[in-house]
Amino acid sequence: NAIGGDGFAAIAVSIEMGALTELDSLDVNSNRVGDTGLIALGKAVANGVLCKLSKLYLGGNDISDDGVIAFAAAVGTGGGDVLPALYELWLSNNEIGDKGFAALCAMLKQGALTNLGDLRLQYNHLGDASCSSLVGLLKCGSSLSNTWYLGLNDNAFTNEGLNVLETALAGAALPRLEFITASSPNSTAAAQQAVQNAFTNRPRPPRPTKG
């Protein structure tokens, strides 16, 4: 399909008017939604109309930093009242860079998307600045407290950025996180493996004992 930005914006207007309040999953992967569509969606959900939406798939839609920044601002303003049930947010195969990722991290720090379990941004343009943004997010433990999968492979990290991430992961609790992928053609296999090792060996909270 190719809904396009204007077509998806029309759907967003319907959402804003309360036409799809029971919607649980919204899959528009590879539909050329673009920034126009994502900005419209952010405006539509800002008033909390999609409180049951748990899956939002926006991969392969030519979305750039501009769209993500606007969407994150709209969602972040409402805190936990906007998309409170959202568990899967897929933004892979887009044109998102460091500014867009920084906006997502800022949104999460504001207390948005507290139920988020699966965040995917593979095949974008995230660089070392995004590693720093993620490190800042990791320091706010509650921001990713329910996240089990964080997909960041095939971006633009260098060894320097991955080294920063490695150090942060070594001291991060992340109680539910089971998988993190962080790789790039610009970094070495050794640096990528070091991130995985730090994640595997990170401190974990003790398991509750049976009474």
Side-chain angles (χ1 to χ4, degrees), residues 79-80 82-84 86 108 111-117 142-147:
V82 177
L83 302 176
L86 192 66
L108 292 171
L113 307 186
T114 55
N115 193 52
L116 189 64
S142 60
S143 299
L144 294 172
S145 60
N146 288 314
T147 303

Side-chain angles (χ1 to χ4, degrees), residues 5 8-16 20 23 26-28 33-50 53 55-58 61 63 67 70-72 74-75 82-83 86 89-91:
F8 190 65
I11 295 173
V13 170
S14 297
I15 291 172
E16 187 175 6
L20 298 169
L23 193 66
L26 181 56
D27 183 351
V28 287
V33 165
D35 293 336
T36 299
L38 186 58
I39 291 169
L41 180 63
K43 180 176 181 292
V45 303
N47 61 2
V49 290
L50 289 184
L53 189 72
K55 300 174 183 178
L56 179 56
Y57 302 147
L58 294 160
N61 273 302
I63 294 168
F71 177 79
V75 174
V82 177
L83 302 176
L86 192 66
L89 176 59
W90 293 6
L91 289 161

Side-chain angles (χ1 to χ4, degrees), residues 1 17 23 27 43 55 60-61 69 73 76 95 99 105 112 118 134 136 142-143 145 166 173 181 183 189-190 204 206:
N1 292 324
M17 295 175 66
L23 193 66
D27 183 351
K43 180 176 181 292
K55 300 174 183 178
N61 273 302
I69 290 169
E95 305 297 328
K99 292 180 180 179
C105 290
D118 184 341
L134 179 56
S142 60
S143 299
S145 60
E166 174 198 350
T181 62
S183 65
R204 298 171 184 260

Side-chain angles (χ1 to χ4, degrees), residues 128 131-132 157-167 186-187 191:
D128 291 346
C131 289
S132 297
F157 313 121
T158 69
N159 285 3
E160 182 177 356
L162 292 181
N163 290 342
V164 170
L165 181 57
E166 174 198 350
T167 301
N186 302 330
S187 60

Side-chain angles (χ1 to χ4, degrees), residues 129-140:
S130 292
C131 289
S132 297
S133 294
L134 179 56
V135 168
L137 184 61
L138 293 175
K139 292 178 180 178
C140 301

Side-chain angles (χ1 to χ4, degrees), residues 50-123:
L50 289 184
C51 61
K52 295 184 179 181
L53 189 72
S54 64
K55 300 174 183 178
L56 179 56
Y57 302 147
L58 294 160
N61 273 302
D62 301 319
I63 294 168
S64 75
D65 285 345
D66 291 342
V68 174
I69 290 169
F71 177 79
V75 174
T77 300
D81 294 329
V82 177
L83 302 176
L86 192 66
Y87 189 75
E88 296 180 2
L89 176 59
W90 293 6
L91 289 161
S92 301
N93 293 285
N94 280 297
E95 305 297 328
I96 303 167
D98 292 328
K99 292 180 180 179
F101 187 71
L104 285 176
C105 290
M107 173 193 72
L108 292 171
K109 285 182 181 180
Q110 287 179 277
L113 307 186
T114 55
N115 193 52
L116 189 64
D118 184 341
L119 177 60
R120 305 194 183 202
L121 287 124
Q122 298 98 323
Y123 297 96

